[in-house]
Amino acid sequence: MDTFLGTLVFLLPGLMLYFWLQSFGINPVVKHNPAEFSAVAVLLWFPVSLSAILVFNLFVTVANAISSFEPIWTTEGLKTASGDFLFLILFLGSSLVISFLFGLVWAKWIHQQLFMRIINKVRKSRGIAPLSRTPSVWDEVFLNNDVQVVEIGKIDKSSEPGYIGEIKKASRTFEPERNIYLNEIQFFTELVEKHSIPVVNIFFDTKSGMYVKIFDAEEIKNAQLKDIEQLNKGEDTTSS
């Protein structure tokens, strides 16, 4: 029972913050093994739990007349209080909200606006290329919130036509396989061939031997508008 309570009080708040950070798109370069994951959770535990305890102490001070709790200022006091279910509910509930707020502030303002700028300034001063916005090439290319029409094929069979379509879904950072779900294959295949849409970037997966050609999004849009205009003109001619 002590181990279970220790996990709830001393690990779960850090795990909550780790979960929020990953959900907001702040991922490490490599997937952590269990030992590293536990170490990260312990490090993240401190700011969340400290804030939750301060909120709890404030609650105890304000509601002193109706509360039977005492303020907590030591780890022994935290262990003792963790035996009370009401305290656990208050502590974990406030930890959930606080970890969300910490993750939001870090992901939206501190990480990119301050943390990455400082790191990249130091790297540039040492003659090292700055870090990109995301931790992997896959994230940088395919996990942005934009429309992409691509051609997928094998590097050793580049002479053969690949599959052309709009990316609807792509694997997340730490999924074991790199999968892409294409939409409207026939439509975009005909559009690219008809208008000779240029390729602006090519992604190579050297491990699986897969290539992904990314077509010019602006040219794709213009080609669709041209087809709509031609279709409208054809309908006007028929009706007249």
Short mmCIF file of all heavy atoms in Angstrom, two decimals, residues 83-141:
data_model
loop_
_atom_site.label_atom_id
_atom_site.label_comp_id
_atom_site.label_asym_id
_atom_site.label_seq_id
_atom_site.Cartn_x
_atom_site.Cartn_y
_atom_site.Cartn_z
N GLY A 83 -2.23 9.40 3.43
CA GLY A 83 -3.08 8.32 3.90
C GLY A 83 -4.55 8.70 3.98
O GLY A 83 -5.40 7.84 4.21
N ASP A 84 -4.84 9.99 3.77
CA ASP A 84 -6.22 10.47 3.80
C ASP A 84 -6.75 10.57 2.37
O ASP A 84 -6.16 11.25 1.53
CB ASP A 84 -6.25 11.84 4.48
CG ASP A 84 -7.68 12.29 4.80
OD1 ASP A 84 -8.50 12.32 3.86
OD2 ASP A 84 -7.96 12.60 5.97
N PHE A 85 -7.89 9.93 2.09
CA PHE A 85 -8.44 9.92 0.74
C PHE A 85 -8.86 11.32 0.29
O PHE A 85 -8.74 11.66 -0.89
CB PHE A 85 -9.63 8.96 0.65
CG PHE A 85 -9.24 7.53 0.50
CD1 PHE A 85 -9.41 6.64 1.54
CD2 PHE A 85 -8.68 7.07 -0.68
CE1 PHE A 85 -9.03 5.31 1.42
CE2 PHE A 85 -8.30 5.75 -0.83
CZ PHE A 85 -8.48 4.86 0.22
N LEU A 86 -9.36 12.13 1.21
CA LEU A 86 -9.75 13.48 0.85
C LEU A 86 -8.54 14.29 0.39
O LEU A 86 -8.61 15.03 -0.60
CB LEU A 86 -10.44 14.17 2.02
CG LEU A 86 -10.90 15.61 1.78
CD1 LEU A 86 -11.86 15.68 0.60
CD2 LEU A 86 -11.54 16.19 3.05
N PHE A 87 -7.42 14.10 1.08
CA PHE A 87 -6.20 14.80 0.66
C PHE A 87 -5.75 14.32 -0.72
O PHE A 87 -5.34 15.13 -1.56
CB PHE A 87 -5.08 14.56 1.68
CG PHE A 87 -3.73 15.01 1.18
CD1 PHE A 87 -3.39 16.36 1.21
CD2 PHE A 87 -2.82 14.09 0.66
CE1 PHE A 87 -2.16 16.78 0.73
CE2 PHE A 87 -1.58 14.51 0.18
CZ PHE A 87 -1.26 15.86 0.22
N LEU A 88 -5.81 13.00 -0.95
CA LEU A 88 -5.41 12.48 -2.26
C LEU A 88 -6.26 13.07 -3.38
O LEU A 88 -5.76 13.42 -4.45
CB LEU A 88 -5.52 10.95 -2.28
CG LEU A 88 -4.45 10.17 -1.51
CD1 LEU A 88 -4.73 8.67 -1.60
CD2 LEU A 88 -3.06 10.47 -2.07
N ILE A 89 -7.56 13.18 -3.14
CA ILE A 89 -8.45 13.75 -4.16
C ILE A 89 -8.08 15.20 -4.43
O ILE A 89 -7.96 15.63 -5.59
CB ILE A 89 -9.92 13.64 -3.70
CG1 ILE A 89 -10.35 12.17 -3.66
CG2 ILE A 89 -10.83 14.43 -4.64
CD1 ILE A 89 -11.72 11.93 -3.05
N LEU A 90 -7.86 15.98 -3.36
CA LEU A 90 -7.49 17.38 -3.53
C LEU A 90 -6.12 17.52 -4.20
O LEU A 90 -5.93 18.34 -5.10
CB LEU A 90 -7.47 18.09 -2.17
CG LEU A 90 -8.82 18.27 -1.48
CD1 LEU A 90 -8.62 18.83 -0.08
CD2 LEU A 90 -9.73 19.18 -2.29
N PHE A 91 -5.17 16.70 -3.75
CA PHE A 91 -3.80 16.79 -4.27
C PHE A 91 -3.74 16.40 -5.75
O PHE A 91 -3.15 17.11 -6.57
CB PHE A 91 -2.89 15.89 -3.44
CG PHE A 91 -1.46 15.89 -3.91
CD1 PHE A 91 -0.61 16.95 -3.61
CD2 PHE A 91 -0.96 14.82 -4.65
CE1 PHE A 91 0.71 16.95 -4.05
CE2 PHE A 91 0.35 14.81 -5.08
CZ PHE A 91 1.19 15.87 -4.78
N LEU A 92 -4.36 15.26 -6.09
CA LEU A 92 -4.29 14.80 -7.48
C LEU A 92 -5.14 15.67 -8.40
O LEU A 92 -4.77 15.89 -9.56
CB LEU A 92 -4.74 13.33 -7.56
CG LEU A 92 -3.83 12.33 -6.84
CD1 LEU A 92 -4.38 10.91 -6.96
CD2 LEU A 92 -2.41 12.38 -7.41
N GLY A 93 -6.27 16.15 -7.90
CA GLY A 93 -7.10 17.05 -8.72
C GLY A 93 -6.37 18.34 -9.04
O GLY A 93 -6.36 18.80 -10.19
N SER A 94 -5.75 18.93 -8.02
CA SER A 94 -4.99 20.16 -8.26
C SER A 94 -3.75 19.89 -9.11
O SER A 94 -3.36 20.71 -9.94
CB SER A 94 -4.59 20.81 -6.93
OG SER A 94 -3.81 19.91 -6.14
N SER A 95 -3.12 18.70 -8.96
CA SER A 95 -1.96 18.34 -9.78
C SER A 95 -2.34 18.23 -11.25
O SER A 95 -1.56 18.61 -12.14
CB SER A 95 -1.37 17.02 -9.30
OG SER A 95 -0.82 17.14 -8.01
N LEU A 96 -3.54 17.70 -11.52
CA LEU A 96 -4.00 17.57 -12.91
C LEU A 96 -4.13 18.95 -13.56
O LEU A 96 -3.65 19.17 -14.68
CB LEU A 96 -5.34 16.84 -12.93
CG LEU A 96 -5.98 16.63 -14.32
CD1 LEU A 96 -5.10 15.74 -15.18
CD2 LEU A 96 -7.37 16.04 -14.18
N VAL A 97 -4.75 19.87 -12.85
CA VAL A 97 -4.94 21.22 -13.39
C VAL A 97 -3.60 21.95 -13.51
O VAL A 97 -3.30 22.58 -14.54
CB VAL A 97 -5.91 22.02 -12.51
CG1 VAL A 97 -6.03 23.46 -13.01
CG2 VAL A 97 -7.28 21.35 -12.48
N ILE A 98 -2.78 21.85 -12.48
CA ILE A 98 -1.49 22.57 -12.47
C ILE A 98 -0.56 22.01 -13.53
O ILE A 98 0.14 22.77 -14.23
CB ILE A 98 -0.86 22.48 -11.07
CG1 ILE A 98 -1.67 23.32 -10.09
CG2 ILE A 98 0.59 22.95 -11.10
CD1 ILE A 98 -1.29 23.11 -8.65
N SER A 99 -0.51 20.68 -13.69
CA SER A 99 0.36 20.09 -14.71
C SER A 99 -0.07 20.52 -16.11
O SER A 99 0.77 20.78 -16.98
CB SER A 99 0.35 18.56 -14.60
OG SER A 99 -0.95 18.04 -14.84
N PHE A 100 -1.39 20.63 -16.33
CA PHE A 100 -1.89 21.12 -17.62
C PHE A 100 -1.42 22.56 -17.88
O PHE A 100 -0.96 22.89 -18.97
CB PHE A 100 -3.42 21.05 -17.66
CG PHE A 100 -4.03 21.66 -18.89
CD1 PHE A 100 -4.12 20.94 -20.07
CD2 PHE A 100 -4.50 22.96 -18.87
CE1 PHE A 100 -4.67 21.50 -21.21
CE2 PHE A 100 -5.06 23.53 -19.99
CZ PHE A 100 -5.14 22.80 -21.17
N LEU A 101 -1.53 23.41 -16.85
CA LEU A 101 -1.13 24.81 -17.00
C LEU A 101 0.38 24.93 -17.23
O LEU A 101 0.82 25.72 -18.08
CB LEU A 101 -1.55 25.62 -15.76
CG LEU A 101 -3.06 25.74 -15.54
CD1 LEU A 101 -3.35 26.47 -14.23
CD2 LEU A 101 -3.73 26.46 -16.70
N PHE A 102 1.17 24.15 -16.47
CA PHE A 102 2.63 24.15 -16.68
C PHE A 102 2.96 23.72 -18.11
O PHE A 102 3.80 24.34 -18.79
CB PHE A 102 3.31 23.21 -15.69
CG PHE A 102 3.76 23.88 -14.42
CD1 PHE A 102 3.18 23.54 -13.21
CD2 PHE A 102 4.75 24.84 -14.43
CE1 PHE A 102 3.57 24.15 -12.03
CE2 PHE A 102 5.16 25.45 -13.27
CZ PHE A 102 4.57 25.11 -12.05
N GLY A 103 2.33 22.62 -18.57
CA GLY A 103 2.58 22.13 -19.93
C GLY A 103 2.18 23.15 -20.98
O GLY A 103 2.90 23.34 -21.98
N LEU A 104 1.05 23.81 -20.78
CA LEU A 104 0.58 24.81 -21.73
C LEU A 104 1.54 25.99 -21.83
O LEU A 104 1.92 26.42 -22.93
CB LEU A 104 -0.82 25.29 -21.31
CG LEU A 104 -1.44 26.41 -22.15
CD1 LEU A 104 -1.66 25.95 -23.58
CD2 LEU A 104 -2.74 26.88 -21.53
N VAL A 105 1.94 26.51 -20.68
CA VAL A 105 2.86 27.65 -20.66
C VAL A 105 4.21 27.29 -21.29
O VAL A 105 4.77 28.05 -22.09
CB VAL A 105 3.05 28.16 -19.22
CG1 VAL A 105 4.16 29.20 -19.14
CG2 VAL A 105 1.74 28.74 -18.69
N TRP A 106 4.71 26.11 -20.96
CA TRP A 106 6.01 25.68 -21.50
C TRP A 106 5.93 25.48 -23.02
O TRP A 106 6.79 25.97 -23.77
CB TRP A 106 6.48 24.40 -20.83
CG TRP A 106 7.79 23.90 -21.38
CD1 TRP A 106 7.96 22.98 -22.38
CD2 TRP A 106 9.10 24.31 -20.99
NE1 TRP A 106 9.30 22.79 -22.64
CE2 TRP A 106 10.02 23.59 -21.81
CE3 TRP A 106 9.58 25.20 -20.05
CZ2 TRP A 106 11.40 23.76 -21.69
CZ3 TRP A 106 10.96 25.35 -19.92
CH2 TRP A 106 11.84 24.64 -20.74
N ALA A 107 4.90 24.77 -23.49
CA ALA A 107 4.79 24.45 -24.91
C ALA A 107 4.49 25.68 -25.76
O ALA A 107 5.02 25.81 -26.87
CB ALA A 107 3.70 23.39 -25.13
N LYS A 108 3.66 26.58 -25.25
CA LYS A 108 3.18 27.71 -26.08
C LYS A 108 4.12 28.91 -26.03
O LYS A 108 4.28 29.61 -27.03
CB LYS A 108 1.78 28.12 -25.62
CG LYS A 108 1.09 29.07 -26.58
CD LYS A 108 -0.36 29.26 -26.22
CE LYS A 108 -1.06 30.22 -27.18
NZ LYS A 108 -1.08 29.72 -28.56
N TRP A 109 4.75 29.16 -24.89
CA TRP A 109 5.53 30.37 -24.76
C TRP A 109 7.00 30.14 -24.44
O TRP A 109 7.88 30.69 -25.11
CB TRP A 109 4.91 31.28 -23.69
CG TRP A 109 3.59 31.83 -24.10
CD1 TRP A 109 3.35 32.81 -25.03
CD2 TRP A 109 2.30 31.43 -23.60
NE1 TRP A 109 2.00 33.04 -25.14
CE2 TRP A 109 1.32 32.22 -24.27
CE3 TRP A 109 1.87 30.50 -22.67
CZ2 TRP A 109 -0.04 32.09 -24.03
CZ3 TRP A 109 0.52 30.36 -22.43
CH2 TRP A 109 -0.43 31.15 -23.10
N ILE A 110 7.30 29.32 -23.46
CA ILE A 110 8.70 29.23 -22.99
C ILE A 110 9.56 28.41 -23.94
O ILE A 110 10.67 28.82 -24.29
CB ILE A 110 8.74 28.63 -21.57
CG1 ILE A 110 7.98 29.54 -20.60
CG2 ILE A 110 10.19 28.46 -21.11
CD1 ILE A 110 7.94 29.02 -19.18
N HIS A 111 9.10 27.23 -24.37
CA HIS A 111 9.94 26.31 -25.13
C HIS A 111 10.47 26.95 -26.41
O HIS A 111 11.68 26.97 -26.66
CB HIS A 111 9.17 25.03 -25.46
CG HIS A 111 9.96 24.03 -26.23
ND1 HIS A 111 9.89 23.92 -27.61
CD2 HIS A 111 10.88 23.10 -25.85
CE1 HIS A 111 10.70 22.97 -28.02
NE2 HIS A 111 11.31 22.47 -26.97
N GLN A 112 9.57 27.46 -27.26
CA GLN A 112 9.99 27.99 -28.54
C GLN A 112 10.47 29.43 -28.45
O GLN A 112 11.45 29.81 -29.09
CB GLN A 112 8.83 27.89 -29.55
CG GLN A 112 9.25 27.99 -31.01
CD GLN A 112 10.12 26.84 -31.45
OE1 GLN A 112 9.95 25.71 -31.01
NE2 GLN A 112 11.09 27.12 -32.30
N GLN A 113 9.78 30.23 -27.65
CA GLN A 113 10.08 31.65 -27.60
C GLN A 113 11.35 31.97 -26.81
O GLN A 113 12.03 32.94 -27.11
CB GLN A 113 8.90 32.42 -26.96
CG GLN A 113 7.59 32.24 -27.70
CD GLN A 113 7.63 32.80 -29.11
OE1 GLN A 113 8.32 33.78 -29.36
NE2 GLN A 113 6.91 32.18 -30.02
N LEU A 114 11.68 31.16 -25.82
CA LEU A 114 12.83 31.46 -24.96
C LEU A 114 13.87 30.35 -24.96
O LEU A 114 15.04 30.58 -25.30
CB LEU A 114 12.33 31.73 -23.53
CG LEU A 114 13.39 32.05 -22.47
CD1 LEU A 114 14.11 33.34 -22.85
CD2 LEU A 114 12.76 32.15 -21.09
N PHE A 115 13.44 29.13 -24.60
CA PHE A 115 14.38 28.03 -24.41
C PHE A 115 15.15 27.71 -25.69
O PHE A 115 16.39 27.65 -25.68
CB PHE A 115 13.59 26.80 -23.94
CG PHE A 115 14.43 25.60 -23.64
CD1 PHE A 115 15.27 25.57 -22.54
CD2 PHE A 115 14.38 24.48 -24.46
CE1 PHE A 115 16.05 24.45 -22.26
CE2 PHE A 115 15.14 23.37 -24.19
CZ PHE A 115 15.99 23.35 -23.09
N MET A 116 14.44 27.52 -26.82
CA MET A 116 15.10 27.17 -28.07
C MET A 116 15.97 28.31 -28.59
O MET A 116 17.02 28.08 -29.20
CB MET A 116 14.07 26.76 -29.11
CG MET A 116 13.37 25.45 -28.81
SD MET A 116 14.50 24.04 -28.77
CE MET A 116 15.02 23.97 -30.47
N ARG A 117 15.54 29.54 -28.37
CA ARG A 117 16.35 30.68 -28.82
C ARG A 117 17.68 30.73 -28.11
O ARG A 117 18.73 30.98 -28.73
CB ARG A 117 15.57 31.98 -28.58
CG ARG A 117 14.43 32.21 -29.56
CD ARG A 117 13.82 33.58 -29.35
NE ARG A 117 12.72 33.81 -30.29
CZ ARG A 117 12.03 34.94 -30.36
NH1 ARG A 117 12.31 35.94 -29.53
NH2 ARG A 117 11.05 35.07 -31.24
N ILE A 118 17.65 30.51 -26.79
CA ILE A 118 18.91 30.53 -26.03
C ILE A 118 19.82 29.40 -26.49
O ILE A 118 21.03 29.61 -26.71
CB ILE A 118 18.61 30.42 -24.52
CG1 ILE A 118 17.86 31.66 -24.03
CG2 ILE A 118 19.90 30.22 -23.73
CD1 ILE A 118 17.40 31.58 -22.59
N ILE A 119 19.26 28.19 -26.64
CA ILE A 119 20.07 27.05 -27.06
C ILE A 119 20.68 27.28 -28.43
O ILE A 119 21.87 27.01 -28.66
CB ILE A 119 19.22 25.77 -27.04
CG1 ILE A 119 18.95 25.37 -25.61
CG2 ILE A 119 19.87 24.64 -27.83
CD1 ILE A 119 18.57 23.99 -25.33
N ASN A 120 19.89 27.79 -29.36
CA ASN A 120 20.39 27.99 -30.73
C ASN A 120 21.42 29.11 -30.79
O ASN A 120 22.34 29.06 -31.62
CB ASN A 120 19.23 28.29 -31.67
CG ASN A 120 18.45 27.03 -32.02
OD1 ASN A 120 19.00 25.92 -32.00
ND2 ASN A 120 17.19 27.16 -32.35
N LYS A 121 21.30 30.10 -29.94
CA LYS A 121 22.32 31.15 -29.89
C LYS A 121 23.66 30.57 -29.43
O LYS A 121 24.72 30.89 -29.98
CB LYS A 121 21.89 32.28 -28.95
CG LYS A 121 20.87 33.22 -29.58
CD LYS A 121 20.55 34.38 -28.63
CE LYS A 121 19.54 35.33 -29.30
NZ LYS A 121 19.22 36.47 -28.40
N VAL A 122 23.61 29.70 -28.42
CA VAL A 122 24.84 29.06 -27.94
C VAL A 122 25.42 28.15 -29.02
O VAL A 122 26.64 28.14 -29.27
CB VAL A 122 24.56 28.26 -26.65
CG1 VAL A 122 25.80 27.49 -26.22
CG2 VAL A 122 24.11 29.20 -25.53
N ARG A 123 24.55 27.38 -29.71
CA ARG A 123 25.03 26.49 -30.77
C ARG A 123 25.66 27.28 -31.92
O ARG A 123 26.71 26.90 -32.43
CB ARG A 123 23.86 25.64 -31.30
CG ARG A 123 23.37 24.59 -30.30
CD ARG A 123 22.15 23.86 -30.84
NE ARG A 123 22.48 23.07 -32.02
CZ ARG A 123 22.87 21.79 -31.98
NH1 ARG A 123 22.98 21.17 -30.83
NH2 ARG A 123 23.15 21.14 -33.11
N LYS A 124 25.04 28.38 -32.31
CA LYS A 124 25.60 29.20 -33.39
C LYS A 124 26.94 29.80 -32.99
O LYS A 124 27.85 29.90 -33.81
CB LYS A 124 24.61 30.31 -33.75
CG LYS A 124 23.38 29.84 -34.51
CD LYS A 124 22.45 31.00 -34.81
CE LYS A 124 21.22 30.54 -35.56
NZ LYS A 124 20.27 31.66 -35.83
N SER A 125 27.07 30.18 -31.71
CA SER A 125 28.34 30.75 -31.24
C SER A 125 29.46 29.71 -31.27
O SER A 125 30.64 30.07 -31.34
CB SER A 125 28.18 31.30 -29.83
OG SER A 125 27.96 30.25 -28.88
N ARG A 126 29.08 28.42 -31.23
CA ARG A 126 30.07 27.34 -31.30
C ARG A 126 30.24 26.80 -32.71
O ARG A 126 30.96 25.83 -32.93
CB ARG A 126 29.66 26.20 -30.37
CG ARG A 126 29.60 26.58 -28.90
CD ARG A 126 29.34 25.38 -28.02
NE ARG A 126 30.38 24.38 -28.19
CZ ARG A 126 30.15 23.12 -28.58
NH1 ARG A 126 28.91 22.72 -28.85
NH2 ARG A 126 31.14 22.27 -28.70
N GLY A 127 29.57 27.42 -33.68
CA GLY A 127 29.69 26.99 -35.06
C GLY A 127 28.92 25.72 -35.36
O GLY A 127 29.26 24.97 -36.29
N ILE A 128 27.84 25.45 -34.59
CA ILE A 128 27.01 24.25 -34.77
C ILE A 128 25.66 24.68 -35.33
O ILE A 128 25.12 25.73 -34.95
CB ILE A 128 26.81 23.50 -33.44
CG1 ILE A 128 28.17 23.10 -32.86
CG2 ILE A 128 25.97 22.25 -33.64
CD1 ILE A 128 28.09 22.46 -31.49
N ALA A 129 25.11 23.87 -36.21
CA ALA A 129 23.81 24.18 -36.81
C ALA A 129 22.74 24.26 -35.72
O ALA A 129 22.73 23.46 -34.79
CB ALA A 129 23.43 23.11 -37.84
N PRO A 130 21.84 25.25 -35.82
CA PRO A 130 20.78 25.38 -34.80
C PRO A 130 19.80 24.22 -34.87
O PRO A 130 19.63 23.59 -35.92
CB PRO A 130 20.11 26.71 -35.16
CG PRO A 130 20.40 26.90 -36.61
CD PRO A 130 21.75 26.30 -36.84
N LEU A 131 19.15 23.94 -33.76
CA LEU A 131 18.13 22.89 -33.71
C LEU A 131 16.87 23.36 -34.41
O LEU A 131 16.51 24.54 -34.36
CB LEU A 131 17.80 22.54 -32.26
CG LEU A 131 18.92 21.92 -31.42
CD1 LEU A 131 18.46 21.74 -29.98
CD2 LEU A 131 19.37 20.59 -32.01
N SER A 132 16.18 22.44 -35.06
CA SER A 132 14.92 22.78 -35.73
C SER A 132 13.80 22.85 -34.70
O SER A 132 13.97 22.50 -33.53
CB SER A 132 14.59 21.75 -36.81
OG SER A 132 14.44 20.46 -36.24
N ARG A 133 12.63 23.27 -35.18
CA ARG A 133 11.49 23.47 -34.29
C ARG A 133 11.01 22.17 -33.69
O ARG A 133 10.48 22.14 -32.58
CB ARG A 133 10.37 24.13 -35.09
CG ARG A 133 9.12 24.47 -34.31
CD ARG A 133 8.18 25.31 -35.16
NE ARG A 133 7.87 24.62 -36.40
CZ ARG A 133 6.82 23.81 -36.57
NH1 ARG A 133 6.01 23.57 -35.54
NH2 ARG A 133 6.58 23.23 -37.72
N THR A 134 11.15 21.06 -34.42
CA THR A 134 10.68 19.75 -33.96
C THR A 134 11.87 18.80 -33.81
O THR A 134 12.92 19.02 -34.41
CB THR A 134 9.67 19.16 -34.96
OG1 THR A 134 10.24 19.17 -36.28
CG2 THR A 134 8.40 19.99 -34.99
N PRO A 135 11.71 17.70 -33.04
CA PRO A 135 12.86 16.84 -32.73
C PRO A 135 13.27 15.88 -33.83
O PRO A 135 14.31 15.27 -33.73
CB PRO A 135 12.38 16.06 -31.49
CG PRO A 135 10.90 16.01 -31.64
CD PRO A 135 10.51 17.30 -32.27
N SER A 136 12.46 15.69 -34.87
CA SER A 136 12.82 14.73 -35.92
C SER A 136 12.43 15.27 -37.28
O SER A 136 11.58 16.15 -37.41
CB SER A 136 12.12 13.39 -35.68
OG SER A 136 10.72 13.49 -35.94
N VAL A 137 13.07 14.72 -38.33
CA VAL A 137 12.75 15.12 -39.70
C VAL A 137 11.31 14.77 -40.03
O VAL A 137 10.60 15.52 -40.72
CB VAL A 137 13.72 14.43 -40.69
CG1 VAL A 137 13.38 14.80 -42.12
CG2 VAL A 137 15.15 14.81 -40.39
N TRP A 138 10.83 13.62 -39.53
CA TRP A 138 9.45 13.19 -39.78
C TRP A 138 8.46 14.23 -39.26
O TRP A 138 7.52 14.61 -39.95
CB TRP A 138 9.22 11.84 -39.12
CG TRP A 138 7.84 11.29 -39.31
CD1 TRP A 138 6.76 11.44 -38.49
CD2 TRP A 138 7.36 10.52 -40.43
NE1 TRP A 138 5.66 10.81 -38.99
CE2 TRP A 138 6.00 10.23 -40.19
CE3 TRP A 138 7.97 10.05 -41.59
CZ2 TRP A 138 5.23 9.49 -41.09
CZ3 TRP A 138 7.21 9.31 -42.48
CH2 TRP A 138 5.85 9.05 -42.23
N ASP A 139 8.67 14.68 -38.02
CA ASP A 139 7.80 15.71 -37.44
C ASP A 139 7.85 16.99 -38.27
O ASP A 139 6.83 17.62 -38.52
CB ASP A 139 8.22 16.02 -36.01
CG ASP A 139 7.98 14.87 -35.06
OD1 ASP A 139 8.22 13.71 -35.44
OD2 ASP A 139 7.55 15.12 -33.94
N GLU A 140 9.05 17.36 -38.66
CA GLU A 140 9.25 18.62 -39.37
C GLU A 140 8.52 18.63 -40.71
O GLU A 140 7.98 19.66 -41.13
CB GLU A 140 10.75 18.85 -39.61
CG GLU A 140 11.12 20.24 -40.08
CD GLU A 140 11.10 21.26 -38.96
OE1 GLU A 140 11.10 20.88 -37.77
OE2 GLU A 140 11.08 22.46 -39.29
N VAL A 141 8.47 17.47 -41.37
CA VAL A 141 7.91 17.41 -42.72
C VAL A 141 6.42 17.10 -42.71
O VAL A 141 5.63 17.75 -43.41
CB VAL A 141 8.65 16.35 -43.57
CG1 VAL A 141 8.02 16.22 -44.95
CG2 VAL A 141 10.13 16.72 -43.70
#
